[in-house]
Amino acid sequence: MTIRALVWNENVHETTQEEIREIYPDGIHGTIAAGLRDLLGDDVGVRTATLAEPEHGLTEEALRATDVLLWWGHIAHDQVSDDVVRRVQEHVLAGMGLIVLHSGHFSKIFTRLLGTTCSLAWRNDGERELVWTTAPGHPIAEGVESPIVIDRQEMYGEHFDIPNPDDQVFISSFAGGEVFRSGVTFTRGRGRIFYFSPGDQEYPVYFHPQVRRVLANAARWAAPVDERRLPEVRNPQRRDWS
């Protein structure tokens, strides 16, 4: 089955800041989409959508045609329509996979699904990040080096205000001494959710081959096994089991 992936990006930094556009000339969404195509080939069909599109590109029709939604947001969380967030939530609960990236931890969809503030500690000094695999048998960690060495990245640190995850796949350490649960999974309804923190817009993290491998693995993992979404409500007749 071909994985139908939709990469969503608010696309604000790339359109308003020349220094970010130089790093990601095709937008963060375009870079992530290219990585998925390179690693998954014919096993994936990738589309992209951005905040400025009608209904943010997340119409009912678009979501029905999506197996896995990848979400990158940062400075425009409040501009995302609540109606669209409710729509995305319904599709996740019904079985669509969701991969939330970096500062998407504060997105409306992530906080709504997790039910916590999702707050954390941060410092942007361009520090080295080491991403350590803590669940080497997990499908998202398949073929991933441990540690992934990211030369420069924004620091995210504990405490990360999230519920206990289903799986902790990665933990990061930083040059300043902090640690962070940088790769965690959740299940909501029938939908699988993966949060992965590396990927600040000021650094070319989404070109890193190991980061691309993580996202490709995550897309495979989060895609629903059953193409059907949540079954409709049924009203069966009583049966005689005697």
Side-chain angles (χ1 to χ4, degrees):
M1 181 184 79
T2 300
I3 301 168
R4 302 172 300 174
L6 177 59
V7 183
W8 189 89
N9 172 26
E10 65 183 35
N11 198 36
V12 174
H13 290 290
E14 302 95 309
T15 57
T16 60
Q17 297 175 257
E18 181 61 33
E19 63 272 23
I20 306 302
R21 186 160 49 246
E22 289 179 0
I23 298 171
Y24 291 108
D26 297 319
I28 289 173
H29 53 297
T31 302
I32 292 172
L36 293 177
R37 294 187 186 105
D38 287 347
L39 288 172
L40 298 178
D42 294 339
D43 290 340
V44 69
V46 188
R47 303 163 5 251
T48 63
T50 62
L51 179 70
E53 297 176 36
E55 299 182 62
H56 314 321
L58 300 172
T59 63
E60 178 65 26
E61 294 74 18
L63 293 174
R64 284 189 179 275
T66 300
D67 297 316
V68 181
L69 174 63
L70 294 90
W71 188 286
W72 196 98
H74 183 210
I75 59 173
H77 298 315
D78 62 338
Q79 298 179 37
V80 178
S81 161
D82 289 339
D83 288 339
V84 170
V85 173
R86 281 191 291 269
R87 184 184 303 150
V88 173
Q89 179 186 25
E90 289 171 358
H91 277 271
V92 173
L93 296 178
M96 182 182 73
L98 177 66
I99 300 172
V100 177
L101 301 170
H102 192 57
S103 47
H105 69 90
F106 268 152
S107 64
K108 290 181 179 180
I109 184 58
F110 195 57
T111 57
R112 179 186 290 264
L113 284 165
L114 267 58
T116 57
T117 69
C118 300
S119 63
L120 44 76
W122 68 275
R123 179 181 60 252
N124 196 355
D125 289 342
E127 298 173 45
R128 187 189 67 179
E129 177 179 3
L130 302 179
V131 184
W132 301 89
T133 300
T134 55
H138 198 285
I140 295 177
E142 183 178 354
V144 176
E145 295 176 358
S146 183
I148 302 172
V149 180
I150 301 175
D151 292 331
R152 299 184 70 227
Q153 169 61 13
E154 181 179 25
M155 186 282 292
Y156 275 8
E158 297 291 340
H159 174 61
F160 189 16
D161 185 27
I162 55 174
N164 289 332
D166 295 343
D167 301 294
Q168 181 178 306
V169 186
F170 303 106
I171 189 168
S172 287
S173 59
F174 291 85
E178 292 85 0
V179 297
F180 186 72
R181 289 168 289 168
S182 53
V184 290
T185 74
F186 303 90
T187 304
R188 292 295 183 270
R190 297 179 71 185
R192 289 178 165 184
I193 302 168
F194 177 58
Y195 172 75
F196 190 58
S197 64
D200 184 78
Q201 72 279 354
E202 295 186 17
Y203 312 103
V205 176
Y206 292 116
F207 292 99
H208 194 302
Q210 293 301 307
V211 170
R212 287 185 162 197
R213 171 59 63 190
V214 170
L215 298 188
N217 288 350
R220 285 189 186 276
W221 171 84
V225 176
D226 190 339
E227 294 183 12
R228 297 171 298 173
R229 295 287 162 93
L230 189 67
E232 65 218 29
V233 175
R234 298 171 61 244
N235 182 217
Q237 294 182 350
R238 177 176 173 176
R239 298 172 63 180
D240 185 359
W241 295 96
S242 59

